[in-house]
Amino acid sequence: MGRLATALSGLRSALGAVSYPLVMPSADEARKVGAALLSQLDDYLLPRLARLDAPLLVVVGGSTGAGKSTLVNSLVQAPVSTAGVLRPTTRSPVLVANPSDLNWFGRGGLLPGLVRTGEQSTDPNALQVVGAPSIGPGVALLDAPDIDSVVDHNRKLAAQLLAAADLWLFVTTAARYADAVPWELLTTARLRGTVIALVLDRVPVDAAAEVAAHLGEMLTARDLGSAPLFVIPETPLGGNGLLPEAAVGPMRQWFSQLSADANARAAVVRQTLDGALGALAPALHGLAEAADEQMRTAQTLDERVEAAYRNARRTTEEGLQDGRLLRGEVLARWQEFIGTGEFLRSLESRVGHLRDRLVAAISGRPAPGRNLQVAMESQLVTLLRGVAADAAEQAYAAWQSHPAGAALLEPGLQKASDNLPQLADRLVRDWQQWVLDVVRREAADKRTVARGAAYAVNGVGLAVMIAVFTTTAFIPTGLEVAAGAGSAVAAQKVLEAVFGDQAIRTLATRARTELLARVDDLLAAEAARFTERTATVRLEAEPGALLRRVGAEVEAARKELALTGSGQ
């Protein structure tokens, strides 16, 4: 029994860990089933497994006006449960037991979520516990709310109580025994393996045989033919509001026999408990399927977001390769920085004097260097803001076309985050500083650059940044030619003169890689505004597999325990 208790505890933890947050057709039902299983574990399975010898709980259920409360009062020969013509009459459940059994039901082992009280109550979360010597020890009756009550809480409570029953005493009438709702619950009880007895109430005397025969046929057709059936004829109540003894005598005798026969009670308990445990497997299979569907949907939504931001990254990379960033202000400021005309023409013939010219250009024109840095920053920030805005629109549209995604959206997601401009500014400035720091470290052993001090380092750093705005191999493309290929060549020559050909390529590649890595982080943060909304699903490690595993453990432990002797 210890193995089964451990498996049930594991199942309870698993049910509490798995949620169904995405709006999907299967999610609502899965949440209801999951909540019902948790309630049954707490209300019945765990406490009943811990005490198989506890009194037998008979839950009296049925439709509105079926006469449940009157029946309970008549069986215990006392007005313990309110009965009347107003509906719904039973607002909170009433449990009646022999005084010797009150300790078991009074301490809350069974149905722990209901507050115990010894008085009549209209609190729907209360359980009135009444001692009645007229009911034998070992058996308790619980008068439940109507299964078809107009009050939603009453219907839910009725289902909860029926799931906690060792035996259902189902009450219906000659006028309503064919209604759909009772039969749905009876079918559920049969599938769950619950022991059932039926009461056919208010049967006209002249139609008793016919109605009872028809009900018997319906029971047999639904594999419930072995359920005890008690027929109560239509009869006036006594002055105390109770049914005459002749009407309830056979039922009272049946309960007396159960009270006197511990083995019979144990058989009922074990059959219902085993049936409830056996019904967990198909229920958990359905929950696992729903959890798998949540995971697949979350992955689909995440993939749509990732595709949008991959496009943004690709556009950024292309912008660093096709020369578009060399146009306009950047080109003008670069030419202003290094000097036009004679300086550019002299690069090829007098590379040996390049360092001196670079230092002189920087020392003589500090402002153009700053202007160039600002122009490059502006171009990059503009590019990043554009790709982030496009990605947000694409991701939003992709989610909007999916029901689960649409339910997660809010208007702010349709554009980039409000602080994106500031983040992009900081990204570019930090990257520019990183380039200058790398140049400074690389140039530490080069005495020719060291003589130029900060001016030479700054100039080389700016040239590296310009080189990043072109193809990795510094091969001018058609677009680069249009943007001023001479400037790209000039950047290459500057770097070659100071560091050497291979070092230049390595340095430019490192700078481009670093820039794209920072862009990746920026775009990942933007994408996370979407994907954090599916994180609840993704954080659950294979919830479907978890439910299947704990379900298999419960089933194996159930078969090993063999409550009904068969182990099946």
Side-chain angles (χ1 to χ4, degrees), residues 4-326:
L4 181 55
T6 300
L8 288 176
S9 296
L11 171 58
R12 194 193 186 291
S13 297
L15 289 171
V18 179
S19 61
Y20 309 87
L22 299 183
V23 175
M24 305 183 67
S26 62
D28 286 343
E29 181 64 20
R31 282 191 286 268
K32 292 176 184 176
V33 172
L37 291 182
L38 278 173
S39 293
Q40 191 177 30
L41 282 165
D42 291 340
D43 294 342
Y44 179 68
L45 291 174
L46 288 170
R48 173 50 82 188
L49 184 65
R51 282 290 306 276
L52 289 176
D53 61 339
L56 183 76
L57 179 62
V58 180
V59 174
V60 183
S63 303
T64 301
K68 301 183 299 298
S69 297
T70 299
L71 177 62
V72 170
N73 291 338
S74 300
L75 287 172
V76 300
Q77 298 177 310
V80 295
S81 186
T82 303
V85 296
L86 297 179
R87 304 299 174 207
T89 299
T90 305
R91 298 184 181 276
S92 62
V94 179
L95 188 148
V96 189
N98 187 277
S100 64
D101 292 332
L102 290 183
N103 285 337
W104 163 250
F105 296 108
R107 65 173 180 264
L110 208 65
L111 297 164
L114 297 180
V115 179
R116 268 51 174 181
T117 178
E119 306 295 332
Q120 287 189 358
S121 174
T122 57
D123 181 358
N125 295 312
L127 175 63
Q128 182 185 353
V129 180
V130 180
S134 57
I135 188 169
V139 177
L141 299 178
L142 195 161
D143 185 11
D146 302 329
I147 59 173
D148 56 355
S149 172
V150 295
V151 180
D152 182 61
H153 183 275
N154 281 1
R155 294 195 307 275
K156 291 180 179 178
L157 180 57
Q160 179 184 357
L161 297 178
L162 289 171
D166 294 310
L167 186 153
W168 282 17
L169 184 63
F170 215 83
V171 184
T172 187
T173 65
R176 302 194 58 184
Y177 70 88
D179 288 357
V181 173
W183 286 104
E184 289 176 3
L185 287 174
L186 287 170
T187 300
T188 299
R190 179 183 60 78
L191 294 174
R192 189 178 288 166
T194 305
V195 177
I196 301 170
L198 286 95
V199 178
L200 183 60
D201 195 12
R202 299 173 186 164
V203 182
V205 176
D206 57 354
E210 181 181 357
V211 172
H214 185 223
L215 177 56
E217 292 174 359
M218 295 180 69
L219 290 170
T220 300
R222 292 166 174 79
D223 295 328
L224 291 167
S226 61
L229 174 61
F230 300 96
V231 178
I232 299 178
E234 195 169 40
T235 182
L237 301 179
N240 54 4
L242 304 181
L243 291 166
E245 178 62 23
V248 296
M251 201 181 317
R252 192 197 315 280
Q253 183 179 6
W254 187 66
F255 279 122
S256 296
Q257 290 173 348
L258 273 178
S259 172
D261 190 343
N263 290 333
R265 293 199 309 274
V268 171
V269 167
R270 286 174 172 271
Q271 179 180 330
T272 296
L273 178 58
D274 187 66
L277 291 169
L280 291 175
L284 289 173
H285 177 74
L287 292 182
E289 289 295 316
D292 289 344
E293 189 176 11
Q294 290 270 318
M295 287 288 289
R296 290 192 298 270
T297 301
Q299 290 169 357
T300 296
L301 293 176
D302 288 352
E303 287 168 1
R304 294 184 180 190
V305 172
E306 290 164 4
Y309 283 90
R310 272 199 309 271
N311 289 337
R313 205 269 194 188
R314 188 180 303 113
T315 301
T316 303
E317 191 170 9
E318 291 171 353
L320 296 177
Q321 292 178 339
D322 61 15
R324 75 181 71 170
L325 296 179
L326 286 175

